[in-house]
Amino acid sequence: MHHNHHMPSSLSEFSWSELYPPSVYIISILLAIIYFRWIIKGKDGTNIATKWNIAAMISSIILYIAIKGTPIQILGHHYLFSVHMAQMAVLYLMIAPLVILAIPEQKWKSFLDKSPFISSIFKALTKPLIALLVFNTLFSFYHIPVVFDAAVSNVFIHYTYHFILIVTAFTMWWPVLCPVKELDTLSDIKKVGYVFANGVLMTPACALIMFADYQLYETYRNVPQLYAAMTPSEDQHVGGVTMKIFQEVIYAFVLGLIFFRWVKKERARDNADLEMIKSQNNRLNPEMK
């Protein structure tokens, strides 16, 4: 049973609560309360979050509201595949890494130290190769037409699959952005390779969508055309291109971040070496002071 046969031909036919689902706003408020009450506080009740942690959290909540709590959600779910792909890109390539960056290192440590069981599962799932393959395999699998249509037309499958995808998106981003020094096992050059590999693995799904010469997804086949500018087939191609552009821009930004950190480390190391040479010279030639 597909949900597209009796779709309204205009957004004005949807109720206010369908266009702006209250549940999204309630979840956002709860997340903000949990974050500012507990996550950013250390054991002694002091604030342990940096400005960057807090900025990352606020950004992730704003993005979540934008893609899930506005008419964008209706457009993506029922009418435009391209909008759906933009939502996926924001959720898995922007919100997931932002949440990792939002939680202070101390909190990650205490969470992982609490239970050896959780810690061992977490370490297994965030092993670079496993994290890379699991997320990209599930992401590609989701875009097989049979799977996609089943997920969209069945609420249980839909939420379960997206829950698994968001968890694996976290594990995929962890090796690159790992905020816990002891668990940050990849060198900067390996992180660069990891990000490139991610881009390569995501390409087949995007290419399939970009170059398919027929409508892949039943979900979007007979829906009313809200915007005359695009045919369903063009919308599908735009969806593939949208995901690829989002991915390229975000990965380029992350590569920039890795490079920036690497330069900073090298500079600190060079300065330390210079200081050491100076102090040795001073010791050897005290009269040079």
Side-chain angles (χ1 to χ4, degrees), residues 1 5 21 34-35 57 85 88 104 118 140 172 185 188 193 197 201 206 215 223 231 257 289:
M1 207 287 288
H5 297 311
I34 290 166
Y35 184 77
M57 188 63 194
M85 288 303 266
M88 297 266 292
I118 289 176
S140 297
M172 180 272 283
T185 51
D188 291 314
L201 287 173
C206 294
Q215 192 70 24
V223 292
T231 65
L257 199 71
K289 274 188 178 176

Side-chain angles (χ1 to χ4, degrees), residues 266-284:
E266 289 298 311
R267 200 166 283 162
R269 199 176 293 155
D270 290 347
N271 288 344
D273 290 348
L274 275 173
E275 286 302 315
M276 208 169 76
I277 292 164
K278 264 188 201 162
S279 67
Q280 280 174 346
N281 285 343
N282 289 342
R283 266 207 311 275
L284 293 170

Side-chain angles (χ1 to χ4, degrees), residues 182-289:
E182 297 80 38
L183 301 177
D184 193 5
T185 51
L186 287 186
S187 65
D188 291 314
I189 196 77
K190 280 183 182 163
K191 283 181 183 176
V192 169
Y194 182 91
V195 174
F196 272 112
N198 242 316
V200 170
L201 287 173
M202 207 180 249
T203 303
C206 294
L208 164 81
I209 295 158
M210 278 191 274
F211 302 115
D213 48 6
Y214 60 94
Q215 192 70 24
L216 291 169
Y217 306 109
E218 179 68 34
T219 305
Y220 298 98
R221 199 163 284 160
N222 302 310
V223 292
Q225 295 306 294
L226 295 190
Y227 302 101
M230 276 193 301
T231 65
S233 177
E234 285 166 344
D235 169 47
Q236 183 171 285
H237 294 160
V238 170
V241 173
T242 302
M243 177 54 93
K244 197 69 191 134
I245 289 173
F246 257 100
Q247 180 228 311
E248 297 286 347
V249 170
I250 293 161
Y251 287 6
F253 178 76
V254 172
L255 287 172
L257 199 71
I258 294 166
F259 185 71
F260 176 72
R261 277 187 189 169
W262 177 65
V263 168
K264 212 165 126 186
K265 268 189 229 159
E266 289 298 311
R267 200 166 283 162
R269 199 176 293 155
D270 290 347
N271 288 344
D273 290 348
L274 275 173
E275 286 302 315
M276 208 169 76
I277 292 164
K278 264 188 201 162
S279 67
Q280 280 174 346
N281 285 343
N282 289 342
R283 266 207 311 275
L284 293 170
N285 310 314
E287 69 281 359
M288 280 177 69
K289 274 188 178 176

Side-chain angles (χ1 to χ4, degrees), residues 109-145:
K109 277 185 181 164
S110 65
F111 166 68
L112 292 170
D113 291 345
K114 266 193 185 119
S115 145
F117 176 68
I118 289 176
S119 187
S120 57
I121 288 179
F122 189 84
K123 280 177 183 163
L125 288 175
T126 52
K127 279 199 165 68
L129 196 63
I130 292 172
L132 190 74
L133 292 174
V134 170
F135 173 73
N136 284 292
T137 304
L138 285 171
F139 179 83
S140 297
F141 188 69
Y142 176 79
H143 289 98
I144 295 169

Side-chain angles (χ1 to χ4, degrees), residues 60-183:
S60 66
I61 289 176
I62 291 169
L63 286 169
Y64 172 66
I65 290 171
I67 62 165
K68 293 289 185 186
T70 64
I72 286 175
Q73 169 65 6
I74 294 276
L75 282 176
H77 194 66
H78 299 293
Y79 295 99
L80 292 168
F81 178 72
S82 52
V83 173
H84 172 79
M85 288 303 266
Q87 283 179 289
M88 297 266 292
V90 169
L91 192 55
Y92 304 124
L93 304 183
M94 290 172 84
I95 293 176
L98 280 170
V99 172
I100 292 175
L101 297 174
I103 298 170
E105 180 181 4
Q106 208 173 313
K107 268 287 182 286
W108 277 116
K109 277 185 181 164
S110 65
F111 166 68
L112 292 170
D113 291 345
K114 266 193 185 119
S115 145
F117 176 68
I118 289 176
S119 187
S120 57
I121 288 179
F122 189 84
K123 280 177 183 163
L125 288 175
T126 52
K127 279 199 165 68
L129 196 63
I130 292 172
L132 190 74
L133 292 174
V134 170
F135 173 73
N136 284 292
T137 304
L138 285 171
F139 179 83
S140 297
F141 188 69
Y142 176 79
H143 289 98
I144 295 169
V146 184
V147 179
F148 184 92
D149 288 325
V152 175
S153 57
N154 180 306
V155 174
F156 177 73
I157 297 175
H158 183 78
Y159 282 107
T160 307
Y161 208 111
H162 278 282
F163 175 74
I164 293 167
L165 270 178
I166 194 77
V167 170
T168 56
F170 276 114
T171 58
M172 180 272 283
W173 279 110
W174 183 267
V176 182
L177 302 170
C178 181
V180 182
K181 285 187 189 73
E182 297 80 38
L183 301 177

